[in-house]
Amino acid sequence: MTHAMLKGSNVPLEATTVRAVLCWSPGQGVPDVDASALLLGLDDRVRSDEDFVFYNQPRHPSGKVWRLGKKRGAEGLTDTIQTDLAGVESGVGRILLVASADGVTFDRVQGLRILLYDAQDADGEALAHFDVKPETGRETALICGELYRRGDGWKFRALGEGYSNGLEGLATDFGISVEEPDPADGSDADGAAQQPPPTTQMPDRSSSEALTQPQAPLVPPVPEVSLPLPPEQPAGVPAQPAYGYPPQQPAATQPAYGYPQPTNPPAYGYPPAPATAAAGGQAGHGFPPPAPAAPDLDFRLPPQGPQFIGR
């Protein structure tokens, strides 16, 4: 018959090998629960760190307390600690059965229960069970119960005592030496890596580019030399438009428009005057040549008009 236990109650155990099973209901957001055991001496403290059986040390050196591991069964998820009570050393007075959740509080764990079985009766029902309910819900480790000596036998007591500082805090209370992170390794108390403070400032973009770009060889500047300006050239007179006529060319090259080109320029529509006998004579441009210096004896005035006669 299974004993349903209340907090603080106890039950004697007839079995010599006991299997303590922690079970809980899985679900979304439900943390993983680990079972562990602490073997306490007669002074209620561990004799050494080897008296701590947990996931990193699943078996006690005596071979009488060990962790079976997790399974999924009809009750839900389980994690199990098995103890050979008949072979436990006489210096051990109590064995604490502990549940812990890594960094998660037990108010999110539903249906947490511890069941005790006779390990030699594979098909037998549970000898006792205790529904573990945290007192505040902020606990991250719980002592679900304990196996303790009473005379020549053993008993089981339901406890449900909680710790808000997790499995490490619980183990420290019973004499387990928890290794603190060494500040020299660059970690803080929470295990987070500390970054050394920067000792130099990073260069800005312009200076960093200057460090990576190849530098051109320095060339001494060429001295300035004043040179004279070239002589100013007269501006050419642009050609005037001929308003539809061929452009006028110099006299020596002007065409005669189909006629032989005269030796002398034209006299503006009059035939050219004959050259004078005197050296350097010039054309008269259509007028009679000037009179010679000596008077002409044959010169006669032209006839006068009637208007001058008899006046």
Side-chain angles (χ1 to χ4, degrees), residues 44-86:
D44 285 342
R45 294 180 67 83
V46 297
R47 299 166 298 173
S48 70
D49 290 350
E50 293 179 343
D51 285 340
F52 187 22
V53 177
F54 65 114
Y55 44 83
N56 283 341
Q57 186 172 277
R59 192 175 187 88
H60 191 266
S62 66
K64 302 305 178 181
V65 182
W66 64 96
R67 186 171 179 263
L68 294 179
K70 297 180 182 180
K71 294 181 180 179
R72 181 182 293 271
E75 302 90 352
L77 296 175
T78 65
D79 198 2
T80 303
I81 298 289
Q82 187 160 310
T83 305
D84 181 5
L85 295 176

Coordinates of all heavy atoms in Angstrom, one line a residue, residues 44-86:
D44 N 25.8 16.4 10.3 CA 24.9 17.0 9.3 C 25.6 17.8 8.2 O 25.1 18.8 7.7 CB 23.8 17.9 10.0 CG 22.7 17.1 10.6 OD1 22.6 15.9 10.3 OD2 22.0 17.6 11.5
R45 N 26.9 17.4 8.0 CA 27.6 18.0 6.9 C 28.3 16.9 6.1 O 28.5 15.8 6.6 CB 28.7 19.0 7.4 CG 28.1 20.2 8.1 CD 29.1 21.2 8.6 NE 29.9 21.8 7.6 CZ 29.5 22.9 6.9 NH1 28.4 23.5 7.2 NH2 30.3 23.4 5.9
V46 N 28.6 17.2 4.8 CA 29.3 16.2 4.0 C 30.7 16.0 4.6 O 31.3 16.9 5.2 CB 29.3 16.7 2.5 CG1 27.9 16.8 2.0 CG2 30.1 18.0 2.4
R47 N 31.2 14.9 4.4 CA 32.6 14.6 4.8 C 33.6 15.1 3.8 O 34.7 15.4 4.1 CB 32.7 13.0 5.0 CG 31.8 12.5 6.1 CD 31.7 11.0 6.0 NE 31.2 10.5 4.7 CZ 31.1 9.2 4.3 NH1 31.6 8.3 5.2 NH2 30.6 8.9 3.2
S48 N 33.2 15.1 2.5 CA 34.0 15.6 1.5 C 33.1 15.9 0.3 O 31.9 15.6 0.3 CB 35.1 14.7 1.0 OG 34.6 13.5 0.4
D49 N 33.7 16.6 -0.7 CA 32.9 16.9 -1.9 C 32.4 15.6 -2.7 O 31.5 15.7 -3.5 CB 33.7 17.7 -2.9 CG 34.0 19.1 -2.4 OD1 33.3 19.5 -1.4 OD2 34.8 19.9 -3.0
E50 N 33.0 14.5 -2.4 CA 32.6 13.2 -3.0 C 31.3 12.8 -2.5 O 30.7 11.9 -3.1 CB 33.7 12.1 -2.8 CG 35.0 12.4 -3.5 CD 36.0 11.3 -3.2 OE1 35.8 10.6 -2.3 OE2 37.0 11.3 -4.0
D51 N 30.8 13.3 -1.4 CA 29.5 13.0 -0.9 C 28.3 13.7 -1.6 O 27.2 13.6 -1.2 CB 29.4 13.3 0.6 CG 30.2 12.3 1.5 OD1 30.5 11.2 1.0 OD2 30.5 12.7 2.6
F52 N 28.6 14.3 -2.7 CA 27.6 15.0 -3.5 C 27.4 14.2 -4.8 O 28.3 14.2 -5.6 CB 28.1 16.4 -3.8 CG 27.1 17.3 -4.5 CD1 25.7 17.0 -4.4 CD2 27.5 18.5 -5.2 CE1 24.8 17.8 -5.0 CE2 26.6 19.3 -5.8 CZ 25.2 19.0 -5.7
V53 N 26.3 13.6 -5.0 CA 25.9 12.9 -6.2 C 25.0 13.7 -7.0 O 23.9 14.0 -6.6 CB 25.3 11.5 -5.8 CG1 24.9 10.7 -7.1 CG2 26.3 10.7 -5.0
F54 N 25.4 14.1 -8.2 CA 24.6 14.9 -9.1 C 25.0 14.6 -10.5 O 25.7 13.7 -10.8 CB 24.7 16.4 -8.7 CG 26.1 17.0 -9.0 CD1 26.3 18.0 -9.9 CD2 27.2 16.5 -8.2 CE1 27.5 18.5 -10.1 CE2 28.4 17.1 -8.5 CZ 28.6 18.1 -9.4
Y55 N 24.5 15.5 -11.5 CA 24.7 15.1 -12.9 C 26.1 15.1 -13.3 O 26.5 14.4 -14.3 CB 23.8 16.1 -13.8 CG 24.0 17.5 -13.4 CD1 25.0 18.3 -13.8 CD2 23.0 18.1 -12.6 CE1 25.1 19.7 -13.4 CE2 23.0 19.5 -12.2 CZ 24.1 20.2 -12.6 OH 24.2 21.5 -12.3
N56 N 27.0 15.9 -12.7 CA 28.4 15.9 -13.0 C 29.2 14.8 -12.2 O 30.4 14.6 -12.5 CB 29.0 17.3 -12.8 CG 28.7 18.2 -13.9 OD1 28.3 17.8 -15.0 ND2 28.8 19.5 -13.7
Q57 N 28.6 14.3 -11.2 CA 29.2 13.2 -10.4 C 28.1 12.2 -10.1 O 27.6 12.1 -9.0 CB 29.9 13.8 -9.2 CG 30.7 12.8 -8.3 CD 31.4 13.5 -7.2 OE1 32.5 14.1 -7.4 NE2 30.8 13.6 -6.0
P58 N 27.8 11.3 -11.1 CA 26.5 10.5 -10.9 C 26.7 9.4 -10.0 O 25.6 8.7 -9.7 CB 26.3 10.1 -12.4 CG 27.6 10.1 -13.0 CD 28.4 11.2 -12.4
R59 N 27.8 9.1 -9.5 CA 28.0 7.9 -8.6 C 28.9 8.2 -7.5 O 30.0 8.7 -7.6 CB 28.5 6.7 -9.4 CG 28.4 5.3 -8.7 CD 28.8 4.2 -9.6 NE 28.6 2.9 -9.0 CZ 27.4 2.2 -9.1 NH1 26.4 2.7 -9.9 NH2 27.3 1.1 -8.6
H60 N 28.5 7.8 -6.3 CA 29.3 7.9 -5.1 C 30.5 6.9 -5.1 O 30.3 5.8 -5.6 CB 28.5 7.7 -3.8 CG 29.2 8.1 -2.6 ND1 29.9 7.2 -1.8 CD2 29.3 9.3 -1.9 CE1 30.4 7.8 -0.7 NE2 30.0 9.1 -0.8
P61 N 31.7 7.3 -4.6 CA 32.8 6.4 -4.6 C 32.5 5.1 -3.9 O 33.1 4.0 -4.3 CB 33.9 7.2 -3.9 CG 33.5 8.6 -4.1 CD 32.0 8.7 -4.1
S62 N 31.6 5.0 -3.0 CA 31.3 3.7 -2.3 C 30.5 2.8 -3.2 O 30.4 1.6 -2.9 CB 30.5 4.0 -1.0 OG 29.2 4.6 -1.3
G63 N 29.9 3.4 -4.3 CA 29.1 2.6 -5.1 C 27.7 2.3 -4.6 O 26.9 1.5 -5.2
K64 N 27.3 2.9 -3.5 CA 26.0 2.6 -2.8 C 24.9 3.6 -3.1 O 23.8 3.4 -2.8 CB 26.2 2.5 -1.3 CG 27.2 1.5 -0.8 CD 26.9 0.1 -1.4 CE 27.9 -0.9 -1.0 NZ 27.7 -2.3 -1.6
V65 N 25.3 4.7 -3.7 CA 24.3 5.8 -4.1 C 24.7 6.2 -5.5 O 25.9 6.6 -5.7 CB 24.3 7.0 -3.1 CG1 23.3 8.0 -3.5 CG2 24.1 6.5 -1.7
W66 N 23.7 6.2 -6.4 CA 24.0 6.6 -7.8 C 22.8 7.1 -8.5 O 21.7 6.9 -8.0 CB 24.6 5.4 -8.6 CG 23.7 4.2 -8.8 CD1 22.9 4.0 -9.8 CD2 23.5 3.1 -7.9 NE1 22.2 2.8 -9.7 CE2 22.5 2.3 -8.4 CE3 24.0 2.8 -6.6 CZ2 22.1 1.1 -7.8 CZ3 23.6 1.7 -6.0 CH2 22.6 0.8 -6.6
R67 N 23.0 7.8 -9.5 CA 22.0 8.4 -10.3 C 21.7 7.6 -11.5 O 22.6 7.3 -12.3 CB 22.4 9.9 -10.7 CG 21.4 10.7 -11.4 CD 21.9 12.2 -11.5 NE 21.0 13.0 -12.1 CZ 21.0 13.3 -13.4 NH1 22.0 12.8 -14.2 NH2 20.1 14.1 -14.0
L68 N 20.4 7.3 -11.7 CA 20.0 6.4 -12.9 C 19.7 7.3 -14.1 O 19.8 6.7 -15.2 CB 18.7 5.6 -12.5 CG 18.9 4.5 -11.4 CD1 17.6 3.8 -11.2 CD2 20.0 3.5 -11.8
G69 N 19.4 8.5 -14.0 CA 19.1 9.4 -15.1 C 17.6 9.6 -15.4 O 16.8 9.1 -14.7
K70 N 17.4 10.3 -16.5 CA 16.0 10.7 -16.8 C 15.3 9.8 -17.8 O 16.0 9.2 -18.6 CB 16.0 12.2 -17.3 CG 16.6 13.2 -16.4 CD 16.6 14.6 -17.0 CE 17.2 15.6 -15.9 NZ 17.2 16.9 -16.5
K71 N 14.0 9.7 -17.6 CA 13.2 8.9 -18.5 C 11.8 9.6 -18.6 O 11.4 10.5 -17.8 CB 13.0 7.5 -17.9 CG 14.2 6.6 -17.9 CD 13.9 5.3 -17.3 CE 15.2 4.4 -17.3 NZ 14.8 3.0 -16.7
R72 N 11.1 9.2 -19.6 CA 9.7 9.6 -19.8 C 8.8 8.4 -19.6 O 8.9 7.4 -20.2 CB 9.5 10.1 -21.2 CG 8.1 10.6 -21.5 CD 7.9 11.1 -22.9 NE 8.7 12.3 -23.1 CZ 8.2 13.6 -22.9 NH1 7.0 13.8 -22.5 NH2 9.0 14.6 -23.2
G73 N 8.0 8.5 -18.5 CA 7.1 7.4 -18.2 C 5.7 7.8 -18.1 O 5.3 8.9 -18.5
A74 N 4.9 6.9 -17.5 CA 3.4 7.2 -17.3 C 3.2 8.3 -16.4 O 2.2 9.1 -16.5 CB 2.7 5.9 -16.8
E75 N 4.1 8.5 -15.4 CA 3.9 9.6 -14.5 C 4.3 11.0 -15.1 O 4.0 12.0 -14.5 CB 4.7 9.4 -13.2 CG 4.4 8.1 -12.5 CD 5.2 6.9 -13.0 OE1 6.0 7.1 -14.0 OE2 5.1 5.8 -12.4
G76 N 5.1 11.0 -16.2 CA 5.6 12.2 -16.8 C 7.1 12.0 -17.0 O 7.6 10.9 -17.2
L77 N 7.8 13.1 -16.8 CA 9.3 13.1 -16.9 C 9.8 12.7 -15.5 O 9.3 13.2 -14.5 CB 9.9 14.4 -17.3 CG 9.5 14.9 -18.7 CD1 10.0 16.3 -19.0 CD2 10.0 13.9 -19.8
T78 N 10.9 11.9 -15.5 CA 11.4 11.4 -14.3 C 12.9 11.5 -14.2 O 13.6 11.4 -15.3 CB 11.0 9.9 -14.0 OG1 11.6 9.1 -15.0 CG2 9.5 9.7 -14.0
D79 N 13.5 11.6 -13.0 CA 14.9 11.5 -12.8 C 15.0 10.8 -11.4 O 14.3 11.0 -10.5 CB 15.5 12.9 -12.7 CG 17.0 12.9 -12.8 OD1 17.6 11.8 -13.1 OD2 17.7 13.9 -12.8
T80 N 16.0 9.8 -11.4 CA 16.0 8.8 -10.3 C 17.3 8.7 -9.6 O 18.4 8.8 -10.2 CB 15.6 7.4 -10.9 OG1 14.3 7.5 -11.5 CG2 15.5 6.4 -9.7
I81 N 17.3 8.6 -8.3 CA 18.4 8.3 -7.4 C 18.1 7.0 -6.7 O 17.1 6.8 -6.1 CB 18.6 9.4 -6.3 CG1 18.9 10.7 -7.0 CG2 19.7 9.0 -5.4 CD1 20.2 10.9 -7.6
Q82 N 19.1 6.1 -6.8 CA 18.9 4.7 -6.2 C 20.0 4.6 -5.1 O 21.1 5.0 -5.2 CB 19.1 3.6 -7.2 CG 18.7 2.2 -6.6 CD 18.4 1.2 -7.7 OE1 17.6 1.5 -8.6 NE2 19.0 0.1 -7.6
T83 N 19.6 4.0 -3.9 CA 20.4 3.8 -2.8 C 20.4 2.4 -2.2 O 19.3 1.9 -2.0 CB 20.0 4.8 -1.7 OG1 20.0 6.1 -2.2 CG2 21.0 4.8 -0.5
D84 N 21.5 1.8 -2.0 CA 21.6 0.5 -1.3 C 21.8 0.8 0.2 O 22.9 1.0 0.7 CB 22.8 -0.3 -1.9 CG 23.0 -1.6 -1.2 OD1 22.1 -2.0 -0.4 OD2 24.0 -2.3 -1.5
L85 N 20.7 0.9 0.9 CA 20.7 1.3 2.3 C 21.5 0.3 3.2 O 22.2 0.8 4.1 CB 19.3 1.4 2.8 CG 18.4 2.5 2.2 CD1 17.0 2.4 2.8 CD2 19.0 3.8 2.4
A86 N 21.5 -0.9 2.8 CA 22.2 -1.9 3.6 C 23.7 -1.7 3.5 O 24.5 -2.1 4.4 CB 21.9 -3.3 3.2

